[in-house]
Amino acid sequence: MTTTPELESAAVRLSTAPEPVGPQRPRQLMAPVRRLWRQLTSMRTALLLLFLLALGAVPGGFLPQRSLNPVRVDQYVAKHPTLAPILDRLSLFDVFAAPWFAAVYLLLFVSLVGCLVPRIRLHARALRKPPPQAPGNLARLPASARWETSVPAEEVLGLAERRLRRWRTSRRGDALGAERGYLRETGNLLFHVSLVLLLVGIAVGQFYGFKGTVLVKEGSGFANAIASYDDIHPGRRFRQDSLVPLHFTLDDFRATYGPDGKARTFDAKVHYATSPDAPMAPYDIRVNHPLHVGAAKVYLIGHGYNVHVVVREKDGQVALDDSVGVPCLPQDARFLSTCTIKVPETRGPQLGFEGAFTPTTVRDPKTGRVGSAHPAVQAPALTIVGFSGDLGIDAGVPGSVYSLDHTHLTPLDGGRPHILVPGTSWQLPGGGSITFAGVTEWSTFQLTQDPGKRIALVAAIGIVLGLCLSLFVRRRRLWVRVRPETGTLTVVEVGGLARTDPDAFAAEFEELVSRLRSDIPPAAPTQATSTQEAE
Amino acid sequence: MAHLSDSLLFVAVLVYAMAMLGFAADAAARRASRVLSVEAVARDLVGAAGPPVTVTERPVRASGWVGTVALGLTALGWLAHVTSVVTRGVAAGRVPWGNMYEFSSAAALVAVTGFLVLVARGRVDKSLGAFVMLPVVLYLGLAGTVLYTKVGPLVPALNSYWIKIHVAAAVTASGAFLLSGVIALLYLLRVRFDERTVVGGSVRFPVSLGRSLPVAGSLDRAAYVVIAFAFPVWTFAIIAGAIWAEAAWGRYWGWDPKETWSFITWVLYACYLHARATGGWKGPKAAWIAVAAAGALIVDYYVVNIFVVGLHSYA
Ligand code: HEM
């Protein structure tokens, strides 16, 4: 890195990058503030903050995150009782919502804006200004050439100007300055401005967006209202009345699998309407194929089985017959699913059942444990344990529909599991029975509204476009100087530089010089073109 | 057809390995000839009784026919490799980048293509061949054994035209990034070699390998050129992935482990590009960032796919 001051000054202005922060003499009261600001908007700080951003994201890439999978966070906490509380104190299970992470990216963006504003101003000025004056000695530039010609000086500059017509040129005295590739800086600024726009888009989505999930059984419906959801994530500024009007019914859900049990297709057939009196229109919601309604989209995000059971009391009276079924929650890829059946409306003690549904049932010959060999319904079975007593539903404590509160329950038949296949029943010890009538399916849907999405997409396009311009366009400068020599000879000197990719520039320069030499033929044996490394 | 693809990959690895040996032999031959030519120059200078001159670098045009053969073998292996990827796609009736084995093979193909393009454009010398082909051979060997997956259809979440765009871009950028990582490491090796030899110190393996490498400046620039190509492609891959995620999962970004590591990789390469424009960070420091970024990419591809549970772990 031995660059002459001259070269330095010719090259530096090829970039509008903030200059290194040097020692400054404080002149006014505001001086320390100004110095701090310059420090914050320097390239060095930007680099440091970018580095911290990458580093800060690392725990988010290794540790389970609450926003993604709270269950796995709980498992991790249980497994690491001493370490986990410390990690939790540092927000390492919520990295992307952590105050320190926000501090890094907000500082980065403050730095970015602070750095962009002057750069945009500088670039706008550079776009209007002619290329700078030629440095004193063109031979000192990374690429230079020199020859003598019998073409008169004035004419040489005219010919050179014609050759460089795709460059921006300006003639000053005995020299012609030329510059190309302003789009590089334009692209760079577009890229950085788009980054800011992207952040705006994300923020709009965070504040005004909505996400909710709901489980819908085959044959049931859904109406879009906050109360209908199982789980909601509204943005801080989301207003309920901005939920799009929508209701739909799930007519049929179908999944197909390969022989290895890997899923091939999922397909939820629905009928939907966007106003109470509109006719219902059919639609297939599939993976990668959501339902669009106004500003919202409805996605198919999961599926599972409902078991249809009929519970009868001693005298044969039906206590439970929910033909829509009780949803079971899948536990593995082969859809072994846990089911919880509550029978509160009995005249005697209440009944509850817990167990597993297996679509393709297999039994381990040694342990007798039941498992599922395939996610499709090929040999369905329901394996349950029964309880009687008080389900605790009336106590006013909102219990989960997916688990039993065992405090006031006693197991039936000593807690022995019973395996039912469709159509079979278990005669309960105290009289009465439970019959496994059949299976249907359910799907989970997610409705999202993200008003910032458009902005983010525009920003993304700006980012890619800006990057391409910024990385593929080369900004370079060239000067041609003429000096009348003794007699009729004219000395032509050409020098040029590019701040990036000197190899490619050297090739371009050589090509250009050979063109110029054919326009402006050398008079006598001349020195060859020389290119040196810029670094 | 699937069988043909497998056999062709085997052939490609074999031919690449031969090319690698060829490059290594060529490098060794050149080293010997360079020592000779430097000695000859030194003797001349002594004879002329001129000022003391130390010759540090001298362009050597060694016979190099071994190197040319190695380059030819690389091109031959490349042909077999391309055909392997294409026939795989035909056999599966879809794009040939649907699982980790296929990603790896395609990424290695991009890296070899990148190397051949760089050599053809005169950006790097073919003496780099041995150092580039060694990781390629190891990587493909690993892909073909540990990660090997039989031809099969895609899982539903992957079955979208966005996969073609997103994964094609990701594979292209990854192959180029891996190549740039190798070049950056070689650059660091060469810089270390230069530092040691300037002070007249002795060099031991692996630093001694620096002797047969191109000059540091050209390696530095080659790494930059490759990264400058790959970075916008990677950016586009992430954006296409976000669009795909929006269509499939209802959000364009969710900090899934795969997304998080892609982001880390992206930011590290942004660091690299910044570092090259920041005083005091050019040269070896920037190269270390490029190496770290390639490390993050490897975590993104392998560690996350195999060990971390996320939406992407079906791959
Ligand atoms: C949000 C964080 C940022 C990211 C992700 C980012 C990313 C990048 C990338 C990828 C490049 C290389 C591509 C190009 O030349 O356009 C670049 C270049 C550049 N960035 Fe940033 N940047 C960020 C913030 C900043 C800040 C805060 C500054 C001001 C100090 C800055 C100043 C520059 C400059 C001057 C260049 C051009 C370097 C050159 O001339 O080669 N960037 N940035």
Side-chain angles (χ1 to χ4, degrees):
Chain A
M1 289 289 289
T2 46
T3 34
T4 61
E6 194 172 24
L7 176 56
E8 195 71 69
S9 75
V12 153
R13 273 165 288 123
L14 266 179
S15 147
T16 60
E19 284 168 39
V21 187
Q24 263 190 315
R25 222 175 301 135
R27 279 204 211 101
Q28 310 144 318
L29 231 66
M30 288 301 283
V33 178
R34 194 163 296 170
R35 196 165 60 224
L36 197 73
W37 178 247
R38 293 225 337 176
Q39 196 90 46
L40 180 64
T41 58
S42 73
M43 282 299 272
R44 209 169 280 269
T45 308
L47 184 59
L48 178 75
L49 288 170
L50 270 174
F51 215 73
L52 286 177
L53 188 69
L55 205 65
V58 169
F62 276 133
L63 293 171
Q65 298 291 301
R66 282 215 177 82
S67 58
L68 281 174
N69 201 334
V71 178
R72 287 198 54 243
V73 174
D74 294 342
Q75 286 168 353
Y76 188 91
V77 170
K79 224 193 281 173
H80 303 87
T82 42
L83 185 61
I86 302 172
L87 298 180
D88 208 8
R89 186 84 48 81
L90 299 171
S91 310
L92 293 184
F93 300 120
D94 306 277
V95 167
F96 304 107
W100 54 264
F101 193 75
V104 171
Y105 71 74
L106 287 178
L107 265 181
L108 183 58
F109 275 87
V110 169
S111 163
L112 180 56
V113 171
C115 155
L116 273 176
V117 172
R119 283 180 64 200
I120 292 174
R121 208 178 307 132
L122 265 175
H123 186 53
R125 211 177 304 154
L127 282 176
R128 277 178 277 126
K129 261 199 332 207
Q133 209 156 1
N137 187 354
L138 293 184
R140 294 276 253 312
L141 291 175
S144 64
R146 179 178 185 279
W147 69 94
E148 290 172 357
T149 178
S150 48
V151 181
E154 195 51 31
E155 209 174 309
V156 168
L157 287 185
L159 286 167
E161 207 164 9
R162 178 129 28 101
R163 174 55 65 197
L164 294 168
R165 63 183 166 271
R166 313 230 347 234
W167 296 55
R168 158 132 13 130
T169 54
S170 94
R171 210 192 283 193
R172 271 190 221 154
D174 59 351
L176 177 74
E179 182 161 353
R180 256 190 112 166
Y182 292 84
L183 266 181
R184 179 185 189 90
E185 184 68 11
T186 311
N188 184 295
L189 294 172
L190 172 65
F191 166 73
H192 285 87
V193 168
S194 301
L195 285 178
V196 178
L197 189 65
L198 179 66
L199 194 72
V200 170
I202 293 171
V204 167
Q206 289 285 314
F207 278 97
Y208 298 99
F210 171 85
K211 188 168 87 177
T213 51
V214 59
L215 183 151
V216 182
K217 302 173 197 168
E218 277 175 332
S220 307
F222 164 80
N224 195 13
I226 293 288
S228 310
Y229 287 96
D230 298 326
D231 183 29
I232 58 168
H233 296 276
R236 233 171 285 170
R237 293 281 170 79
F238 179 76
R239 299 210 338 245
Q240 292 203 15
D241 56 7
S242 46
L243 271 182
V244 296
L246 165 74
H247 60 113
F248 68 82
T249 55
L250 175 62
D251 307 326
D252 185 18
F253 173 82
R254 222 169 275 162
T256 57
Y257 304 94
D260 55 353
K262 279 202 184 137
R264 289 269 171 80
T265 61
F266 301 124
D267 189 354
K269 291 190 189 306
V270 300
H271 271 84
Y272 76 101
T274 49
S275 80
D277 26 62
M280 303 284 274
Y283 193 83
D284 279 8
I285 305 180
R286 295 189 297 265
V287 179
N288 291 319
H289 189 250
L291 169 66
H292 296 241
V293 267
K297 284 187 187 177
V298 183
Y299 299 87
L300 172 64
I301 58 168
H303 69 108
Y305 292 103
N306 303 302
V307 289
H308 176 199
V309 292
V310 180
V311 178
R312 289 195 173 78
E313 293 191 73
K314 266 202 277 265
D315 52 6
Q317 173 121 3
V318 172
L320 176 78
D321 182 3
D322 182 1
S323 64
V324 180
V326 178
C328 299
L329 301 181
Q331 304 297 312
D332 63 20
R334 310 242 180 272
F335 277 77
L336 172 107
S337 312
T338 54
C339 314
T340 304
I341 301 159
K342 296 186 181 185
V343 194
E345 265 138 51
T346 51
R347 278 162 299 162
Q350 293 179 318
L351 295 172
F353 299 89
E354 270 179 347
F357 169 74
T358 41
T360 300
T361 311
V362 286
R363 281 188 79 168
D364 189 318
K366 262 183 260 154
T367 63
R369 283 181 71 99
V370 170
S372 177
H374 196 277
V377 176
Q378 291 168 352
L382 180 62
T383 308
I384 45 171
V385 179
F387 299 90
S388 75
D390 181 1
L391 291 172
I393 291 176
D394 314 319
V397 187
S400 165
V401 290
Y402 297 116
S403 66
L404 288 181
D405 174 2
H406 290 267
T407 29
H408 304 291
L409 291 176
T410 47
L412 295 171
D413 194 15
R416 225 159 49 79
H418 288 253
I419 303 181
L420 303 178
V421 296
T424 59
S425 304
W426 168 21
Q427 298 302 325
L428 301 175
S433 67
I434 177 167
T435 308
F436 178 24
V439 261
T440 55
E441 287 178 84
W442 55 257
S443 312
T444 38
F445 295 96
Q446 175 179 304
L447 183 138
T448 49
Q449 270 176 250
D450 183 349
K453 219 161 52 184
R454 278 286 146 71
I455 304 174
L457 184 65
V458 169
I461 294 168
I463 284 173
V464 174
L465 189 71
L467 265 182
C468 289
L469 290 175
S470 171
L471 291 170
F472 300 147
V473 174
R474 264 172 297 120
R475 184 144 176 204
R476 57 260 198 227
R477 283 195 183 135
L478 198 77
W479 290 273
V480 181
R481 178 175 279 141
V482 288
R483 197 153 30 84
E485 191 79 336
T486 49
T488 56
L489 286 185
T490 308
V491 178
V492 184
E493 277 183 301
V494 187
L497 83 161
R499 222 166 50 84
T500 45
D501 207 355
D503 297 341
F505 179 68
E508 181 186 11
F509 185 81
E510 258 174 67
E511 160 93 23
L512 208 83
V513 165
S514 79
R515 291 264 166 80
L516 282 171
R517 282 161 66 106
S518 67
D519 296 345
I520 309 160
T526 55
Q527 274 160 275
T529 309
S530 86
T531 53
Q532 341 160 336
E533 304 226 326
E535 281 161 281
Chain B
M1 196 62 106
H3 197 72
L4 178 65
S5 166
D6 296 350
S7 317
L8 279 170
L9 189 73
F10 186 71
V11 171
V13 173
L14 217 63
V15 178
Y16 283 159
M18 276 154 59
M20 178 185 81
L21 294 179
F23 283 127
D26 184 49
R30 278 205 229 197
R31 193 179 316 163
S33 75
R34 172 153 0 168
V35 171
L36 276 182
S37 66
V38 169
E39 267 172 11
V41 171
R43 211 174 314 117
D44 276 351
L45 290 171
V46 170
V53 174
T54 48
V55 182
T56 47
E57 181 65 34
R58 207 184 122 88
V60 185
R61 293 270 169 269
S63 62
W65 66 268
V66 188
T68 310
V69 170
L71 201 61
L73 281 174
T74 310
L76 205 69
W78 182 84
L79 269 179
H81 197 167
V82 170
T83 322
S84 161
V85 170
V86 171
T87 47
R88 175 92 181 179
V90 173
R94 57 171 170 77
V95 289
W97 43 77
N99 53 49
M100 270 169 75
Y101 162 68
E102 293 169 1
F103 296 147
S104 307
S105 175
L109 180 64
V110 171
V112 177
T113 311
F115 170 66
L116 288 173
V117 168
L118 286 179
V119 171
R121 291 244 189 114
R123 286 290 191 163
V124 293
D125 193 79
K126 59 179 181 299
S127 62
L128 222 56
F131 301 97
V132 172
M133 295 323 283
L134 177 67
V136 165
V137 167
L138 289 178
Y139 185 67
L140 277 178
L142 226 64
T145 49
V146 180
L147 302 175
Y148 184 75
T149 320
K150 279 219 192 71
V151 169
L154 295 173
V155 296
L158 285 175
N159 204 352
S160 142
Y161 63 91
W162 280 107
I163 190 194
K164 301 187 178 92
I165 300 167
H166 165 66
V167 186
V171 165
T172 307
S174 305
F177 279 149
L178 292 178
L179 179 64
S180 74
V182 172
I183 299 177
L185 271 177
L186 295 178
Y187 163 74
L188 289 167
L189 195 69
R190 175 73 210 208
V191 167
R192 174 64 62 85
F193 174 82
D194 290 347
E195 281 167 6
R196 287 283 168 80
T197 45
V198 158
V199 296
S202 64
V203 287
R204 265 177 294 158
F205 186 82
V207 175
S208 59
L209 288 174
R211 188 173 290 129
S212 44
L213 286 171
V215 288
S218 92
L219 286 173
D220 181 42
R221 288 195 296 273
Y224 170 74
V225 165
V226 176
I227 290 173
F229 159 77
F231 188 73
V233 181
W234 183 247
T235 308
F236 175 74
I238 293 180
I239 290 168
I243 293 173
W244 176 25
E246 204 273 331
W249 301 318
R251 87 286 185 292
Y252 58 84
W253 196 264
W255 296 111
D256 178 77
K258 192 94 181 174
E259 292 168 352
T260 302
W261 278 102
S262 306
F263 172 79
I264 294 170
T265 307
W266 187 82
V267 173
L268 284 176
Y269 279 110
C271 279
Y272 169 83
L273 291 172
H274 261 219
R276 284 186 61 98
T278 307
W281 276 86
K282 299 173 177 122
K285 280 190 196 160
W288 278 117
I289 300 178
V291 172
L297 183 74
I298 290 172
V299 171
D300 192 12
Y301 259 60
Y302 298 100
V303 180
V304 172
N305 275 9
I306 299 169
F307 300 108
V308 183
V309 179
L311 286 169
H312 284 79
S313 41
Y314 41 62

